[in-house]
Amino acid sequence: MADHRLPDPVPIDTLLLPRWLIPVEPANVVLDDHAVAIESGKIVAVLPRSEALQRYAPRQTRELPDHILIPGLINLHTHAAMALLKGYADDRPLQDWLQRHIWPAETRLVSPDFVRDGTLLACAEMLRGGTTCFNDMYFFPREAAQASLQLGMRASIGMTVMEFPNAYAHDAEDYLNKGLAVRDELRDEPLLSFTLAPHAPYTVNDATFTRILTLAEQLDVPIHLHVHETHQEISDSMAQYGLRPLERLDRLGLVGPNLIAVHAVHLTPGEIDLLARHGSSVAHCPASNLKLGSGLAPSAALLDAGVNVGIGTDGSASNNRLDMLGEMRLAALLAKGTTGRADCWPAHQALRAATLAGARALGLERALGSIEAGKHADLCALAVTSSDHLPCFDPASHVVHVLGRENVSHVWVGGELCVENGVLRNASDDSLRVIGQVWQNKTQG
């Protein structure tokens, strides 16, 4: 006689059972009453709830009956340690803000302790807002990496490069040597990846850019830099080099698939086409661009041209929030308002920009950015529990236009629960408040 017994359930670590699931890939899909099976930090299956309950024997089951499950958000550009300079020099244009306020403050304050403590505060804020990975550009990268690991967060650590000295390094070669040493030391950490992060065309010379390009090709890492953020940056480049910054970078060979062009506010149609043809990515930071009066990036035109556009917050000193949910909504609304096209940047596109597009820019699209079998279980659950949230006709629209970071209930990084019912599991809020107060006193002293 044939044996019609069902196979024994497969043991797994965790089974998540959300009301709605937005995988991001495939695109424009919302799954009702599905499950995510997780084993050893990775997603092993996305399947209907009833099938999952038969197929798997989870060590832990997490019912999420009024929740939307999305991939963890990826903050494609920030300066995490600048959480300690939140609101320090508001309401000033970029060059005045940098040269007369931020750089002098950093000269006085920046140290390994400053970077570790500031990055801890930033990671706590980002995790509680559903961000599971951030792309950082700052000094003392070892301390930034250690802070992110302490909270269980994924990070892409920038090997920052400038020509002028500070407390971290005294010239471009010193910046590079120190950044490369940190990469060599921490390259096997599963939660870390790295970029080469020349600050901007106006702080890095041609010889250093040539060296960075060689290293990026040898190490196969992205090049992450500010570019075309302000009109002044472009006019100064024209005066010094006779070239707009992107044209200069292109002549040096830096415009390519590894480039993450941060801000990219002031672009000609030809420059948009240049980025598209070379497969470059843009880190769109709408709140920072607005707050510094830098302008409105042509995000719709970039997407129309086929440029990979992710979303970043920039640092807390120029935003002043590390709130990717808020940044998504702002990006979508600005695109609609500046183009007059209500169908521009729809909700699914905005969510993709904040997840899979960021992963692609970092070279991590095979591991992050969508809820698919084989990828890391970096996930965010948002609670749809208040009367303010109901009715819910379109969960993707709710994620972008209704819900906020206060609605983030659970966050997992590599299958590890980092936020439970809105509370961090790897740090106490009391200890973080003490850190913030200590540095406020030092800064004001």
Side-chain angles (χ1 to χ4, degrees), residues 53-71:
L53 292 172
Q54 289 185 339
R55 183 184 299 185
Y56 294 109
R59 284 171 277 281
Q60 180 186 53
T61 299
R62 179 78 58 171
E63 291 277 1
L64 299 165
D66 302 300
H67 298 69
I68 304 169
L69 190 70
I70 62 172

Side-chain angles (χ1 to χ4, degrees), residues 422-437:
V423 178
L424 284 170
R425 288 171 60 92
N426 297 327
S428 74
D429 200 54
D430 287 343
S431 67
L432 295 169
R433 283 202 303 272
V434 168
I435 289 172
Q437 189 60 59

Side-chain angles (χ1 to χ4, degrees), residues 19 33 44 60 120 126 162 189 216 221 256 300 307 335 365 367 370 377 386:
R19 171 66 181 84
D33 292 322
V44 294
Q60 180 186 53
L120 277 173
M126 286 190 281
M162 295 178 176
E189 285 285 351
V221 296
V307 177
E365 68 271 26
S370 58
S386 167

Side-chain angles (χ1 to χ4, degrees), residues 37 63 74 160 185-186 197 226 233 255 341-342 396:
E63 291 277 1
I74 297 175
T160 299
E185 176 188 342
L186 300 175
H226 305 91
E233 173 194 337
V255 179
R341 292 160 43 195

Side-chain angles (χ1 to χ4, degrees), residues 123-125 127-128 151 418-420 422-427 432:
C123 288
E125 181 180 356
L127 279 170
R128 283 187 291 224
L151 291 192
C418 294
V419 175
E420 184 173 19
V423 178
L424 284 170
R425 288 171 60 92
N426 297 327
L432 295 169

Side-chain angles (χ1 to χ4, degrees), residues 50 91 114 158 160 191 201 207-209 223 236 242 249 332 351 369-370 372-373 399-400 439:
S50 58
D91 306 322
F114 178 96
T160 299
L191 294 179
T208 300
F209 272 131
I223 298 172
D236 287 352
L249 293 173
L351 181 57
S370 58
E372 297 180 82
V399 169
V400 176
W439 282 102

Side-chain angles (χ1 to χ4, degrees), residues 300-376:
L302 286 162
L303 284 178
D304 289 345
V307 177
N308 181 56
V309 180
I311 295 177
T313 60
D314 212 344
S316 294
S318 63
N319 186 305
N320 297 349
R321 297 157 65 95
L322 304 178
D323 177 3
M324 283 290 291
L325 286 162
E327 213 76 28
M328 258 197 299
R329 182 168 189 261
L330 185 59
L333 294 179
L334 282 174
K336 296 173 188 295
T338 54
T339 62
R341 292 160 43 195
D343 60 350
C344 182
W345 271 70
H348 281 283
Q349 176 64 65
L351 181 57
R352 193 178 190 89
T355 53
L356 191 57
R360 178 181 167 191
L362 295 171
L364 300 173
E365 68 271 26
R366 294 185 179 181
L368 306 176
S370 58
I371 306 178
E372 297 180 82
K375 290 198 171 185
H376 293 302

Side-chain angles (χ1 to χ4, degrees), residues 18 29 47 61 72 89 92 113 115 117 122 198 202 222 247 253 255 273 280 291 302 348 373 416 419 441:
V29 168
L47 69 174
T61 299
R92 293 171 173 87
D113 287 347
V115 173
D117 288 351
Y202 54 87
E247 184 181 1
V255 179
D273 180 64
S280 302
K291 189 164 181 291
L302 286 162
H348 281 283
E416 295 294 324
V419 175
N441 293 339

